Amino acid sequence: MTALPADSVDVVITSPPYNLDIGYRSYRDDAPREAFLDWCEKWCAEVRRVLKPDGSFFLNVGAAPANPWFPHEVVLRLRERYRGAITVRLGLEMDYVEGLEDYLHTQAARHPWDYIIGSVHYLDPACKTYAWPRDYKGDIHALNARYFELMERMAGAGLVDIVAHFDLPKRTGIPTSPREDEPIARALAAVARAGICMEINTSGLRRPVKEIYPSPMILEMARERGIPICFGSDSHSPAEIAFAFDKALALARNAGYTTYVTLDRKSTRLN
């Protein structure tokens, strides 16, 4: 990077060594904690130098079960070091598990998150039953009702700022039906009471259902209840960042939305 001119790069995407004692051939991955954080500051200074004023920086940082919060220490160090120059936001996707609300509150309180996204991926406390089981042979309506019951409880638990992929079970390829209208309405009412945001998530277009989360009907119901929205692509690769946001924007407009919420929780008019 030192060979690049200043203010010359639009986007930086990097996945540096994680300091997890990985056996690299030419690099020792076991630096003392503070030394590694100092090193991160140094190369981030070069990122700051080469980025254009309106450039973007995407950083992937790994973790290990024995040290799960270390990536957040890296983010917090960089945020303080470059406050006012590079906007660094710290977000968390939290998996809601019924019965673990106190534990989740304790863990969430460990860092000053800019936002917490709440998800329901499992329907049981043991986390063995997916919300979208493949080749499901049981009662799909009972499965959906259980999912929306957990969404309702998550919204009421005061844990999250954003509700993710609201109708995730349709990932199986089977959309919700009128039989789920009542549990959907209860979940939406809980979201509205909590004053939290609903994500328009485009990743459903990459799944068999080929539909954004939530469905047009659910999004209209959310708008009628005054629930604010934000946008997400559930990206797991650089190519999926902001995936199909033009379609998400059109869906929001068709549902009657004229504003959305950014990550600093300011309302911004749709263009």
Tab-separated table of all heavy atoms in Angstrom, residues 223-270:
chain	number	residue	atom	x	y	z
A	223	ARG	N	-45.809	-1.071	7.471
A	223	ARG	CA	-45.953	0.370	7.228
A	223	ARG	C	-47.207	0.917	7.891
A	223	ARG	O	-47.206	2.001	8.477
A	223	ARG	CB	-45.978	0.628	5.719
A	223	ARG	CG	-45.727	2.101	5.337
A	223	ARG	CD	-47.005	2.816	5.042
A	223	ARG	NE	-47.811	2.082	4.076
A	223	ARG	CZ	-49.132	2.210	3.963
A	223	ARG	NH1	-49.797	3.047	4.753
A	223	ARG	NH2	-49.815	1.517	3.070
A	224	GLU	N	-48.289	0.144	7.836
A	224	GLU	CA	-49.536	0.577	8.477
A	224	GLU	C	-49.371	0.726	9.987
A	224	GLU	O	-50.073	1.525	10.619
A	224	GLU	CB	-50.641	-0.445	8.182
A	224	GLU	CG	-51.102	-0.453	6.724
A	224	GLU	CD	-51.979	-1.654	6.405
A	224	GLU	OE1	-52.181	-2.507	7.307
A	224	GLU	OE2	-52.452	-1.733	5.267
A	225	ARG	N	-48.434	-0.010	10.561
A	225	ARG	CA	-48.191	0.042	12.009
A	225	ARG	C	-47.070	1.017	12.378
A	225	ARG	O	-46.657	1.078	13.535
A	225	ARG	CB	-47.862	-1.367	12.521
A	225	ARG	CG	-49.090	-2.282	12.526
A	225	ARG	CD	-48.697	-3.744	12.544
A	225	ARG	NE	-49.870	-4.612	12.667
A	225	ARG	CZ	-50.703	-4.903	11.679
A	225	ARG	NH1	-50.515	-4.378	10.472
A	225	ARG	NH2	-51.738	-5.710	11.871
A	226	GLY	N	-46.568	1.746	11.390
A	226	GLY	CA	-45.536	2.742	11.667
A	226	GLY	C	-44.174	2.177	11.969
A	226	GLY	O	-43.354	2.833	12.631
A	227	ILE	N	-43.890	0.971	11.499
A	227	ILE	CA	-42.593	0.338	11.757
A	227	ILE	C	-41.570	0.866	10.756
A	227	ILE	O	-41.781	0.755	9.548
A	227	ILE	CB	-42.711	-1.196	11.644
A	227	ILE	CG1	-43.661	-1.732	12.718
A	227	ILE	CG2	-41.338	-1.859	11.759
A	227	ILE	CD1	-43.999	-3.201	12.568
A	228	PRO	N	-40.466	1.446	11.219
A	228	PRO	CA	-39.442	1.936	10.290
A	228	PRO	C	-38.692	0.789	9.634
A	228	PRO	O	-38.702	-0.344	10.127
A	228	PRO	CB	-38.523	2.771	11.177
A	228	PRO	CG	-38.701	2.196	12.545
A	228	PRO	CD	-40.126	1.724	12.622
A	229	ILE	N	-38.005	1.084	8.520
A	229	ILE	CA	-37.297	0.047	7.757
A	229	ILE	C	-35.838	0.429	7.567
A	229	ILE	O	-35.446	1.594	7.663
A	229	ILE	CB	-37.942	-0.176	6.370
A	229	ILE	CG1	-38.001	1.146	5.578
A	229	ILE	CG2	-39.305	-0.819	6.507
A	229	ILE	CD1	-38.349	0.970	4.113
A	230	CYS	N	-35.029	-0.584	7.305
A	230	CYS	CA	-33.662	-0.402	6.831
A	230	CYS	C	-33.409	-1.486	5.790
A	230	CYS	O	-34.266	-2.340	5.544
A	230	CYS	CB	-32.658	-0.481	7.975
A	230	CYS	SG	-32.604	-2.089	8.794
A	231	PHE	N	-32.237	-1.463	5.178
A	231	PHE	CA	-31.948	-2.381	4.084
A	231	PHE	C	-30.734	-3.250	4.414
A	231	PHE	O	-29.767	-2.782	5.013
A	231	PHE	CB	-31.673	-1.605	2.792
A	231	PHE	CG	-32.835	-0.793	2.319
A	231	PHE	CD1	-32.925	0.565	2.601
A	231	PHE	CD2	-33.870	-1.380	1.616
A	231	PHE	CE1	-34.003	1.323	2.183
A	231	PHE	CE2	-34.956	-0.637	1.187
A	231	PHE	CZ	-35.020	0.718	1.474
A	232	GLY	N	-30.790	-4.515	4.003
A	232	GLY	CA	-29.674	-5.435	4.180
A	232	GLY	C	-29.663	-6.472	3.083
A	232	GLY	O	-30.703	-6.796	2.509
A	233	SER	N	-28.474	-6.979	2.783
A	233	SER	CA	-28.354	-8.017	1.748
A	233	SER	C	-27.865	-9.341	2.311
A	233	SER	O	-27.706	-10.307	1.570
A	233	SER	CB	-27.398	-7.554	0.642
A	233	SER	OG	-26.106	-7.286	1.166
A	234	ASP	N	-27.613	-9.392	3.657
A	234	ASP	CA	-27.137	-10.644	4.267
A	234	ASP	C	-25.925	-11.172	3.514
A	234	ASP	O	-25.812	-12.364	3.228
A	234	ASP	CB	-28.252	-11.685	4.274
A	234	ASP	CG	-28.291	-12.484	5.570
A	234	ASP	OD1	-27.209	-12.749	6.113
A	234	ASP	OD2	-29.385	-12.833	6.027
A	235	SER	N	-25.008	-10.282	3.201
A	235	SER	CA	-23.874	-10.651	2.336
A	235	SER	C	-22.895	-11.559	3.072
A	235	SER	O	-22.533	-11.299	4.217
A	235	SER	CB	-23.150	-9.399	1.840
A	235	SER	OG	-22.713	-8.611	2.925
A	236	HIS	N	-22.483	-12.614	2.403
A	236	HIS	CA	-21.444	-13.516	2.888
A	236	HIS	C	-20.243	-13.518	1.951
A	236	HIS	O	-19.352	-14.344	2.081
A	236	HIS	CB	-22.003	-14.934	3.039
A	236	HIS	CG	-22.973	-15.068	4.177
A	236	HIS	ND1	-22.735	-15.849	5.283
A	236	HIS	CD2	-24.185	-14.492	4.391
A	236	HIS	CE1	-23.752	-15.771	6.120
A	236	HIS	NE2	-24.656	-14.960	5.602
A	237	SER	N	-20.253	-12.602	1.010
A	237	SER	CA	-19.129	-12.424	0.095
A	237	SER	C	-19.191	-10.999	-0.437
A	237	SER	O	-20.265	-10.376	-0.438
A	237	SER	CB	-19.191	-13.422	-1.067
A	237	SER	OG	-20.262	-13.105	-1.943
A	238	PRO	N	-18.067	-10.439	-0.899
A	238	PRO	CA	-18.079	-9.059	-1.407
A	238	PRO	C	-19.101	-8.831	-2.518
A	238	PRO	O	-19.709	-7.766	-2.593
A	238	PRO	CB	-16.644	-8.856	-1.913
A	238	PRO	CG	-15.822	-9.774	-1.070
A	238	PRO	CD	-16.688	-10.992	-0.856
A	239	ALA	N	-19.316	-9.845	-3.375
A	239	ALA	CA	-20.236	-9.683	-4.500
A	239	ALA	C	-21.684	-9.510	-4.043
A	239	ALA	O	-22.523	-9.022	-4.809
A	239	ALA	CB	-20.131	-10.874	-5.443
A	240	GLU	N	-21.978	-9.903	-2.797
A	240	GLU	CA	-23.353	-9.833	-2.303
A	240	GLU	C	-23.653	-8.551	-1.524
A	240	GLU	O	-24.785	-8.343	-1.087
A	240	GLU	CB	-23.645	-11.051	-1.426
A	240	GLU	CG	-23.628	-12.354	-2.199
A	240	GLU	CD	-23.716	-13.584	-1.320
A	240	GLU	OE1	-23.697	-13.439	-0.078
A	240	GLU	OE2	-23.790	-14.702	-1.867
A	241	ILE	N	-22.652	-7.694	-1.347
A	241	ILE	CA	-22.865	-6.430	-0.649
A	241	ILE	C	-23.824	-5.554	-1.460
A	241	ILE	O	-23.635	-5.354	-2.654
A	241	ILE	CB	-21.529	-5.700	-0.412
A	241	ILE	CG1	-20.643	-6.517	0.535
A	241	ILE	CG2	-21.764	-4.305	0.160
A	241	ILE	CD1	-19.240	-5.978	0.671
A	242	ALA	N	-24.874	-5.075	-0.808
A	242	ALA	CA	-25.902	-4.247	-1.461
A	242	ALA	C	-26.573	-4.972	-2.622
A	242	ALA	O	-27.077	-4.348	-3.550
A	242	ALA	CB	-25.316	-2.922	-1.926
A	243	PHE	N	-26.655	-6.293	-2.541
A	243	PHE	CA	-27.273	-7.115	-3.589
A	243	PHE	C	-28.742	-6.722	-3.787
A	243	PHE	O	-29.525	-6.675	-2.837
A	243	PHE	CB	-27.168	-8.590	-3.195
A	243	PHE	CG	-27.996	-9.527	-4.024
A	243	PHE	CD1	-27.617	-9.857	-5.310
A	243	PHE	CD2	-29.161	-10.083	-3.507
A	243	PHE	CE1	-28.387	-10.718	-6.077
A	243	PHE	CE2	-29.936	-10.956	-4.261
A	243	PHE	CZ	-29.539	-11.265	-5.555
A	244	ALA	N	-29.110	-6.422	-5.018
A	244	ALA	CA	-30.500	-6.159	-5.428
A	244	ALA	C	-31.162	-5.065	-4.604
A	244	ALA	O	-32.379	-5.100	-4.362
A	244	ALA	CB	-31.321	-7.450	-5.364
A	245	PHE	N	-30.394	-4.059	-4.196
A	245	PHE	CA	-30.994	-2.969	-3.418
A	245	PHE	C	-31.984	-2.151	-4.250
A	245	PHE	O	-32.873	-1.515	-3.691
A	245	PHE	CB	-29.900	-2.072	-2.848
A	245	PHE	CG	-29.434	-2.480	-1.472
A	245	PHE	CD1	-29.655	-3.764	-0.996
A	245	PHE	CD2	-28.775	-1.584	-0.650
A	245	PHE	CE1	-29.228	-4.150	0.267
A	245	PHE	CE2	-28.354	-1.945	0.617
A	245	PHE	CZ	-28.579	-3.229	1.081
A	246	ASP	N	-31.828	-2.155	-5.572
A	246	ASP	CA	-32.807	-1.449	-6.396
A	246	ASP	C	-34.188	-2.088	-6.252
A	246	ASP	O	-35.209	-1.399	-6.189
A	246	ASP	CB	-32.357	-1.439	-7.858
A	246	ASP	CG	-32.122	-2.829	-8.428
A	246	ASP	OD1	-31.830	-3.778	-7.661
A	246	ASP	OD2	-32.234	-2.985	-9.658
A	247	LYS	N	-34.220	-3.414	-6.159
A	247	LYS	CA	-35.493	-4.120	-5.975
A	247	LYS	C	-36.042	-3.881	-4.575
A	247	LYS	O	-37.264	-3.750	-4.387
A	247	LYS	CB	-35.306	-5.612	-6.235
A	247	LYS	CG	-34.978	-5.963	-7.672
A	247	LYS	CD	-34.845	-7.465	-7.851
A	247	LYS	CE	-34.659	-7.846	-9.327
A	247	LYS	NZ	-33.429	-7.269	-9.904
A	248	ALA	N	-35.165	-3.802	-3.573
A	248	ALA	CA	-35.606	-3.527	-2.205
A	248	ALA	C	-36.207	-2.128	-2.110
A	248	ALA	O	-37.229	-1.913	-1.439
A	248	ALA	CB	-34.434	-3.667	-1.240
A	249	LEU	N	-35.574	-1.178	-2.788
A	249	LEU	CA	-36.072	0.196	-2.784
A	249	LEU	C	-37.456	0.278	-3.438
A	249	LEU	O	-38.373	0.934	-2.927
A	249	LEU	CB	-35.088	1.094	-3.519
A	249	LEU	CG	-35.297	2.603	-3.433
A	249	LEU	CD1	-35.215	3.087	-2.004
A	249	LEU	CD2	-34.281	3.318	-4.309
A	250	ALA	N	-37.621	-0.431	-4.559
A	250	ALA	CA	-38.917	-0.441	-5.242
A	250	ALA	C	-39.989	-1.082	-4.365
A	250	ALA	O	-41.128	-0.598	-4.301
A	250	ALA	CB	-38.794	-1.192	-6.565
A	251	LEU	N	-39.615	-2.152	-3.663
A	251	LEU	CA	-40.568	-2.822	-2.768
A	251	LEU	C	-41.014	-1.876	-1.658
A	251	LEU	O	-42.216	-1.810	-1.324
A	251	LEU	CB	-39.913	-4.070	-2.166
A	251	LEU	CG	-40.767	-4.899	-1.205
A	251	LEU	CD1	-41.936	-5.551	-1.930
A	251	LEU	CD2	-39.914	-5.973	-0.519
A	252	ALA	N	-40.070	-1.128	-1.089
A	252	ALA	CA	-40.411	-0.190	-0.020
A	252	ALA	C	-41.342	0.902	-0.521
A	252	ALA	O	-42.322	1.255	0.147
A	252	ALA	CB	-39.128	0.421	0.550
A	253	ARG	N	-41.042	1.424	-1.675
A	253	ARG	CA	-41.892	2.475	-2.232
A	253	ARG	C	-43.299	1.958	-2.523
A	253	ARG	O	-44.296	2.644	-2.269
A	253	ARG	CB	-41.252	3.037	-3.493
A	253	ARG	CG	-40.069	3.963	-3.206
A	253	ARG	CD	-39.426	4.427	-4.485
A	253	ARG	NE	-38.463	5.494	-4.252
A	253	ARG	CZ	-37.384	5.704	-5.002
A	253	ARG	NH1	-37.126	4.910	-6.030
A	253	ARG	NH2	-36.566	6.697	-4.733
A	254	ASN	N	-43.372	0.753	-3.074
A	254	ASN	CA	-44.683	0.178	-3.388
A	254	ASN	C	-45.518	-0.059	-2.127
A	254	ASN	O	-46.754	-0.051	-2.191
A	254	ASN	CB	-44.509	-1.133	-4.157
A	254	ASN	CG	-44.017	-0.912	-5.568
A	254	ASN	OD1	-44.156	0.174	-6.133
A	254	ASN	ND2	-43.411	-1.927	-6.161
A	255	ALA	N	-44.830	-0.283	-1.012
A	255	ALA	CA	-45.536	-0.495	0.250
A	255	ALA	C	-45.941	0.817	0.903
A	255	ALA	O	-46.638	0.810	1.926
A	255	ALA	CB	-44.662	-1.304	1.210
A	256	GLY	N	-45.508	1.940	0.332
A	256	GLY	CA	-45.894	3.242	0.855
A	256	GLY	C	-44.851	3.932	1.702
A	256	GLY	O	-45.112	4.990	2.285
A	257	TYR	N	-43.631	3.362	1.777
A	257	TYR	CA	-42.577	3.987	2.575
A	257	TYR	C	-41.938	5.148	1.808
A	257	TYR	O	-41.742	5.079	0.594
A	257	TYR	CB	-41.488	2.972	2.929
A	257	TYR	CG	-41.837	2.098	4.109
A	257	TYR	CD1	-42.400	0.841	3.930
A	257	TYR	CD2	-41.599	2.540	5.406
A	257	TYR	CE1	-42.728	0.036	5.021
A	257	TYR	CE2	-41.909	1.744	6.506
A	257	TYR	CZ	-42.472	0.501	6.303
A	257	TYR	OH	-42.787	-0.296	7.387
A	258	THR	N	-41.611	6.198	2.536
A	258	THR	CA	-40.893	7.336	1.961
A	258	THR	C	-39.596	7.631	2.709
A	258	THR	O	-38.832	8.502	2.313
A	258	THR	CB	-41.763	8.608	1.984
A	258	THR	OG1	-42.156	8.882	3.334
A	258	THR	CG2	-42.996	8.432	1.109
A	259	THR	N	-39.359	6.935	3.808
A	259	THR	CA	-38.131	7.116	4.577
A	259	THR	C	-37.580	5.762	5.000
A	259	THR	O	-38.305	4.755	5.025
A	259	THR	CB	-38.353	7.960	5.845
A	259	THR	OG1	-39.307	7.296	6.684
A	259	THR	CG2	-38.851	9.353	5.495
A	260	TYR	N	-36.308	5.752	5.321
A	260	TYR	CA	-35.692	4.558	5.886
A	260	TYR	C	-34.743	4.997	6.994
A	260	TYR	O	-34.447	6.185	7.165
A	260	TYR	CB	-34.943	3.756	4.815
A	260	TYR	CG	-33.751	4.454	4.210
A	260	TYR	CD1	-32.473	4.256	4.717
A	260	TYR	CD2	-33.893	5.291	3.105
A	260	TYR	CE1	-31.374	4.884	4.148
A	260	TYR	CE2	-32.813	5.920	2.530
A	260	TYR	CZ	-31.549	5.716	3.060
A	260	TYR	OH	-30.467	6.343	2.498
A	261	VAL	N	-34.254	4.046	7.772
A	261	VAL	CA	-33.388	4.334	8.903
A	261	VAL	C	-31.972	3.885	8.579
A	261	VAL	O	-31.758	2.750	8.157
A	261	VAL	CB	-33.893	3.618	10.175
A	261	VAL	CG1	-32.938	3.835	11.341
A	261	VAL	CG2	-35.279	4.119	10.544
A	262	THR	N	-31.009	4.783	8.742
A	262	THR	CA	-29.601	4.419	8.573
A	262	THR	C	-29.061	3.887	9.893
A	262	THR	O	-29.742	3.913	10.917
A	262	THR	CB	-28.785	5.627	8.108
A	262	THR	OG1	-28.914	6.668	9.086
A	262	THR	CG2	-29.279	6.134	6.765
A	263	LEU	N	-27.836	3.422	9.876
A	263	LEU	CA	-27.278	2.750	11.040
A	263	LEU	C	-27.006	3.677	12.217
A	263	LEU	O	-26.790	3.238	13.319
A	263	LEU	CB	-25.995	2.013	10.653
A	263	LEU	CG	-26.186	0.932	9.589
A	263	LEU	CD1	-24.889	0.183	9.361
A	263	LEU	CD2	-27.293	-0.032	9.965
A	264	ASP	N	-26.992	4.985	11.941
A	264	ASP	CA	-26.897	5.919	13.063
A	264	ASP	C	-28.286	6.362	13.511
A	264	ASP	O	-28.439	7.304	14.251
A	264	ASP	CB	-26.019	7.143	12.723
A	264	ASP	CG	-26.545	7.896	11.498
A	264	ASP	OD1	-27.608	7.513	10.987
A	264	ASP	OD2	-25.883	8.843	11.087
A	265	ARG	N	-29.274	5.635	13.002
A	265	ARG	CA	-30.668	5.792	13.422
A	265	ARG	C	-31.253	7.150	13.059
A	265	ARG	O	-32.141	7.642	13.754
A	265	ARG	CB	-30.825	5.508	14.913
A	265	ARG	CG	-30.289	4.135	15.285
A	265	ARG	CD	-30.477	3.837	16.747
A	265	ARG	NE	-29.677	2.703	17.131
A	265	ARG	CZ	-29.576	2.241	18.360
A	265	ARG	NH1	-30.250	2.823	19.324
A	265	ARG	NH2	-28.820	1.214	18.634
A	266	LYS	N	-30.775	7.732	12.014
A	266	LYS	CA	-31.370	8.969	11.520
A	266	LYS	C	-32.277	8.627	10.348
A	266	LYS	O	-31.936	7.815	9.502
A	266	LYS	CB	-30.309	9.960	11.076
A	266	LYS	CG	-29.486	10.525	12.224
A	266	LYS	CD	-28.461	11.521	11.712
A	266	LYS	CE	-27.628	12.074	12.854
A	266	LYS	NZ	-26.601	13.016	12.366
A	267	SER	N	-33.405	9.278	10.275
A	267	SER	CA	-34.345	9.017	9.190
A	267	SER	C	-33.921	9.806	7.949
A	267	SER	O	-33.634	10.991	8.041
A	267	SER	CB	-35.754	9.428	9.624
A	267	SER	OG	-36.692	9.107	8.632
A	268	THR	N	-33.877	9.133	6.811
A	268	THR	CA	-33.413	9.741	5.572
A	268	THR	C	-34.444	9.488	4.481
A	268	THR	O	-34.982	8.404	4.364
A	268	THR	CB	-32.065	9.137	5.136
A	268	THR	OG1	-31.135	9.250	6.216
A	268	THR	CG2	-31.520	9.859	3.928
A	269	ARG	N	-34.712	10.514	3.672
A	269	ARG	CA	-35.703	10.361	2.606
A	269	ARG	C	-35.184	9.460	1.496
A	269	ARG	O	-34.017	9.535	1.106
A	269	ARG	CB	-36.075	11.737	2.022
A	269	ARG	CG	-37.171	11.660	0.971
A	269	ARG	CD	-37.792	13.023	0.746
A	269	ARG	NE	-38.448	13.523	1.953
A	269	ARG	CZ	-39.677	13.151	2.327
A	269	ARG	NH1	-40.369	12.303	1.589
A	269	ARG	NH2	-40.209	13.626	3.428
A	270	LEU	N	-36.073	8.598	1.001
A	270	LEU	CA	-35.704	7.746	-0.135
A	270	LEU	C	-35.529	8.564	-1.391
A	270	LEU	O	-36.302	9.490	-1.648
A	270	LEU	CB	-36.805	6.701	-0.369
A	270	LEU	CG	-36.944	5.590	0.680
A	270	LEU	CD1	-38.205	4.820	0.417
A	270	LEU	CD2	-35.746	4.688	0.672
